[in-house]
Amino acid sequence: MRAHKLGSAARRALSDPGEAVGPTSFQVLIRVKGEPSEEQRRQIADAGARVGMAAGDVLTATVAPGDLGRLTEVDCVDYVELSEPLHPETGTRPQK
């Protein structure tokens, strides 16, 4: 695993399974080198990710926690981060 390719939330989720967003998979954002080609998508899929949408050099994907490390080994992958909501969950208060 190339830990330098993981964002802080992804590293935390791997080190503490209790941090996991869901019991079976993570929604992730993957930054690749340049516009994602079909070959890059295949390499990412071969590493265990189910690739979704692309916007520029970023792909969305679903990946099992056990495959997150494999994803960082793909040469075209620059960075992997867990997809997180932009707003806090309902019922939480911002810290002052």
Side-chain angles (χ1 to χ4, degrees):
M1 177 172 51
R2 299 177 185 170
H4 68 278
K5 289 187 176 185
L6 290 173
S8 59
R11 282 193 307 269
R12 196 171 47 250
L14 281 179
S15 66
D16 182 7
E19 293 276 327
V21 175
T24 58
S25 63
F26 294 119
Q27 297 294 317
V28 296
L29 302 173
I30 304 167
R31 174 160 283 154
V32 296
K33 297 174 182 171
E35 292 279 328
S37 67
E38 287 304 313
E39 174 64 17
Q40 288 174 326
R41 287 174 178 256
R42 186 193 58 75
Q43 292 172 0
I44 291 168
D46 288 348
R50 190 173 64 225
V51 178
M53 302 293 292
D57 62 349
V58 176
L59 296 165
T60 63
T62 303
V63 62
D67 291 331
L68 200 50
R70 284 182 42 206
L71 192 54
T72 67
E73 296 292 332
V74 177
D75 287 333
C76 69
V77 171
D78 278 338
Y79 192 72
V80 180
E81 182 58 275
L82 294 185
S83 178
E84 299 180 282
L86 293 175
H87 303 285
E89 293 180 21
T90 305
T92 61
R93 303 175 97 195
Q95 294 181 345
K96 294 182 180 182

